[in-house]
Amino acid sequence: MTKKLQGNGLFESSRMMLPEHREAYLQHQQRIERRIRPELDSQVIEHIERILSQSLDGGARITLTLWNESEDKKLSGKVIQFDSIRGRIRFESVISRTWIPFNQIIGASAEDES
Amino acid sequence: MPKSSSRIIMLADCQSFYASVEKRAHPEYANKPLVVAGDPARRSGIILAACPLAKSYGVTTAERLGEALAKCPDLVVIRPRMEEYIRVSLQITEILQSYTDLVEPYSIDEQHLDVTGSLKLFGSPEDIARSIQQRVMQQTGVYIRVGISSSKVVSKMACDIFAKKNDTGIFTLPQEDLPSVLWPRPVHQMFMVGSRMTRHLYRMGIHTIGDLANTPLSKLTARWGVNGEVLWRIARGIDNSPVMPGTYTHQKGIGHQMTLPRDYHTWEEIKIVLLELSELVCQRSRSKGLMGSVVSVGCRGADFDMPTGFSRQMKISDPTNITDEVYKAACSLFLRHWDGFPIRSLGVSLTDLSPDTTYQLTWFDGREKKRELEKTTDDLKRKFGDTAIMRASSLMAAGQAKDRSHKIGGHYK
């Protein structure tokens, strides 16, 4: 059923947009819209905690997903210290050691050994 | 819903867009006739855009380069740079967004904007239009024409029929002026009326936009159904379409189509392209975190006067974005419907999309392995370019992947 008489249907069905233009436009819109930090489910938090402590205890290399206003960043390395008073971890990657606040971490995964 | 007559809607259109971008990039050609042509090396290439100076020699868009050179031997011919045109188009979007957040691109060189809420800040609609013209010219070298009205449909016609032809490049067409200003115009100038529709309308005795507006609606719907009503409403300027910046976010399907450099006759050749298309479609689905459960395949023959080809779709058992699975479906669809005629254009698309975060685990098919493999090849391509890793079949003569990686919309990046 055609939707030309409803909403934006007339223009959505007649416009000429290159797929690459559309993608670039969507990226542009994402940049200007302020990103909102995702609310983490308690199970996800538990999962992240487990991965972090496995890395701290066993020295396993892990990949963190860090929230940032413009875009998420991935960082791989291992946890070398917990600072629960200030709510942060000391993280060692190939290039540097940094403090990362807990609330910046929105994902963690163990690096596959395979 | 605000009263439609209370909105202020504009359509901003770029004059000779590709050519204007190239003229700004090459100041040495400022006073020379310039065209952007599909493939400058071939006289059979098509003119994609011509600057006003070239047009004054009679050069028109969509004609062959050879014909254009015959009219104007001094023509400067430039090869398209689609990525640059997309960048400039977005730069213009950004300028428009400094007047209102309600901006919606309609094509690479046309964008609608709703400035109803911006009048207190920036002055009258004409003030805003002039300011837009100046800024876009300063920052990009592109001349903008602006149609102003209270709906998208009328702003488009205000631009196409009037603003493109007058000295200021700005035209306001209020709803109440339609009978006196728009209706005397020939019907073929109306938005959404093409050459074929014009012929049908002429045969019904409809010659002007006013004739169409005054034709009983029932007569038009009896003949064309919804499309008849669409035409009648456009003629009367009845249009509530909102300017929707978010219009591109909900995606119905992901598809890729390509026109082949020559006719492909054999299944051996065609299936290479089918695989490349399946790969492109799946790669894009994966990057967007989507899977589809309907695969469609379309193709067209070389002879446009004797159209051959088909477009068919099938549902697959589990939603997927794995290249092999989409390719398999595309092959079986194609073989079922192909009549053996040579093929000139081919397309594959994936629809009925769902997020790929949750999926049914299936036994015995090694899906996890494929998923990991494709994640890795996608990462490689993202980092080192689309040709960093390719299927060996794409290196065969029939393969298009390498050529396509240099192009956007069939034209050079």
Side-chain angles (χ1 to χ4, degrees):
Chain A
M1 191 42 208
T2 168
K3 296 213 169 69
K4 283 185 197 167
L5 293 174
Q6 295 154 28
N8 200 20
L10 180 59
F11 291 89
E12 287 179 357
S13 61
S14 66
R15 66 193 175 198
M16 293 269 283
M17 282 287 278
L18 293 162
E20 291 82 357
H21 181 199
R22 176 200 169 106
E23 296 293 312
Y25 170 75
L26 288 173
Q27 272 173 21
H28 168 83
Q29 290 298 96
Q30 259 172 12
R31 259 203 314 279
I32 60 171
E33 273 165 31
R34 269 200 54 207
R35 301 206 325 138
I36 301 165
R37 192 181 178 282
E39 291 278 334
L40 296 185
D41 182 84
S42 63
Q43 275 182 311
V44 175
I45 295 175
E46 231 174 79
H47 173 75
I48 294 174
E49 282 169 355
R50 199 163 53 238
I51 299 276
L52 292 180
S53 48
Q54 271 169 9
S55 174
L56 181 66
D57 298 340
R61 290 181 61 85
I62 59 172
T63 302
L64 297 181
T65 309
L66 303 177
W67 188 81
N68 187 294
E69 246 188 41
S70 50
E71 59 177 345
D72 291 344
K73 291 197 173 122
K74 298 236 181 204
L75 195 61
S76 63
K78 51 193 171 189
V79 183
I80 50 174
Q81 194 185 335
F82 257 86
D83 180 356
S84 46
I85 297 167
R86 294 201 182 153
R88 57 185 190 171
I89 56 166
R90 187 83 169 150
F91 197 72
E92 184 185 78
S93 68
V94 184
I95 40 171
S96 65
R97 289 182 176 192
T98 42
W99 287 104
I100 297 170
F102 287 151
N103 64 11
Q104 230 190 338
I105 304 170
I106 53 166
S109 60
E111 264 179 31
D112 220 333
E113 267 127 66
S114 63
Chain B
M1 195 84 189
K3 251 178 61 209
S4 60
S5 62
S6 65
R7 297 189 297 165
I8 306 286
I9 309 285
M10 297 182 179
L11 181 83
D13 169 281
C14 303
Q15 183 183 47
S16 317
F17 183 50
Y18 300 171
S20 303
V21 173
E22 294 302 344
K23 280 217 152 171
R24 166 59 62 100
H26 301 275
E28 67 272 26
Y29 300 141
N31 296 314
K32 299 217 163 113
L34 177 150
V35 294
V36 176
D39 198 342
R42 293 188 3 220
R43 287 173 67 87
S44 61
I46 297 287
I47 305 285
L48 301 176
C51 77
L53 196 56
K55 282 181 179 162
S56 72
Y57 286 89
V59 174
T60 58
T61 46
E63 76 178 342
R64 282 174 200 284
L65 182 55
E67 295 166 43
L69 282 169
K71 292 176 192 165
C72 178
D74 300 332
L75 209 54
V76 177
V77 184
I78 303 243
R79 154 185 152 134
R81 295 182 298 153
M82 299 307 290
E83 271 174 346
E84 177 66 5
Y85 308 147
I86 289 175
R87 191 191 65 74
V88 175
S89 178
L90 287 175
Q91 194 185 346
I92 294 170
T93 305
E94 202 167 333
I95 296 172
L96 300 179
Q97 282 169 336
S98 67
Y99 295 89
T100 169
D101 56 336
L102 297 175
V103 176
E104 177 188 336
Y106 181 62
S107 66
I108 196 162
D109 58 2
E110 295 167 289
Q111 325 199 24
H112 274 112
L113 54 164
D114 181 338
V115 295
T116 314
S118 315
L119 301 178
K120 284 210 181 75
L121 289 168
F122 298 104
S124 74
E126 286 79 7
D127 289 341
I128 294 179
R130 272 191 295 273
S131 162
I132 289 172
Q133 271 185 331
Q134 274 173 15
R135 282 184 54 198
V136 173
M137 176 54 83
Q138 266 170 14
Q139 293 180 27
T140 68
V142 175
Y143 179 53
I144 294 279
R145 281 81 56 93
V146 186
I148 307 172
S149 188
S150 52
S151 67
K152 285 166 94 173
V153 152
V154 182
S155 70
K156 169 98 172 114
M157 292 190 284
C159 185
D160 287 348
I161 306 177
F162 303 101
K164 285 184 185 178
K165 314 253 152 64
N166 70 15
D167 295 333
T168 60
I170 297 172
F171 192 84
T172 307
L173 181 53
Q175 183 69 20
E176 56 272 21
D177 288 1
L178 293 194
S180 60
V181 179
L182 183 68
W183 288 5
R185 291 297 176 137
V187 75
H188 71 83
Q189 292 184 347
M190 196 179 90
F191 176 49
M192 297 292 284
V193 174
S195 58
R196 180 181 284 183
M197 182 54 81
T198 305
R199 262 179 284 138
H200 288 306
L201 291 169
Y202 273 22
R203 229 168 286 148
M204 290 170 80
I206 298 170
H207 296 266
T208 66
I209 300 178
D211 291 343
L212 185 58
N214 291 315
T215 304
L217 175 58
S218 56
K219 197 170 158 190
L220 296 170
T221 51
R223 177 111 195 239
W224 291 298
V226 173
N227 290 327
E229 182 162 355
V230 168
L231 291 179
W232 185 80
R233 287 201 197 186
I234 294 172
R236 291 179 162 250
I238 305 171
D239 173 33
N240 280 319
S241 314
V243 176
M244 277 176 72
T247 179
Y248 294 99
T249 44
H250 50 95
Q251 188 158 33
K252 279 178 286 176
I254 293 175
H256 274 279
Q257 182 271 340
M258 55 176 122
T259 303
L260 305 168
R262 57 182 167 82
D263 291 351
Y264 281 24
H265 298 265
T266 63
W267 170 234
E268 272 60 44
E269 286 189 317
I270 291 166
K271 73 181 185 189
I272 291 174
V273 181
L274 271 184
L275 178 58
E276 290 179 348
L277 286 165
S278 306
E279 177 109 290
L280 282 166
V281 166
C282 290
Q283 196 182 327
R284 248 179 66 214
S285 310
R286 292 190 293 263
S287 78
K288 290 172 160 291
L290 295 167
M291 300 187 296
S293 50
V294 174
V295 174
S296 6
V297 171
C299 67
R300 236 188 15 222
D303 189 354
F304 292 118
D305 294 328
M306 200 197 75
T308 56
F310 59 87
S311 172
R312 290 293 158 85
Q313 59 180 51
M314 71 186 262
K315 201 165 168 74
I316 44 180
S317 54
D318 290 301
T320 188
N321 55 20
I322 294 175
T323 305
D324 279 2
E325 297 182 4
V326 171
Y327 173 59
K328 212 179 285 171
C331 285
S332 76
L333 261 174
F334 189 86
L335 285 174
R336 200 179 312 153
H337 299 288
W338 185 39
D339 48 15
F341 277 104
I343 298 296
R344 196 55 179 272
S345 105
L346 204 56
V348 171
S349 67
L350 197 56
T351 46
D352 200 0
L353 301 174
S354 56
D356 69 356
T357 43
T358 48
Y359 53 88
Q360 184 80 39
L361 289 172
T362 49
W363 297 101
F364 312 124
D365 59 359
R367 259 189 151 184
E368 289 309 301
K369 232 177 178 171
K370 285 184 196 162
R371 225 178 273 280
E372 282 304 309
L373 176 64
E374 299 199 318
K375 223 183 122 238
T376 310
T377 55
D378 289 351
D379 284 345
L380 281 172
K381 286 182 182 176
R382 199 166 319 137
K383 198 156 181 186
F384 301 108
D386 279 332
T387 50
I389 181 163
M390 283 193 299
R391 302 204 180 230
S393 66
S394 289
L395 296 174
M396 310 265 283
Q400 292 297 302
K402 217 164 169 190
D403 181 58
R404 193 182 163 97
S405 70
H406 302 300
K407 292 184 175 180
I408 288 180
H411 307 304
Y412 288 107
K413 279 181 179 171

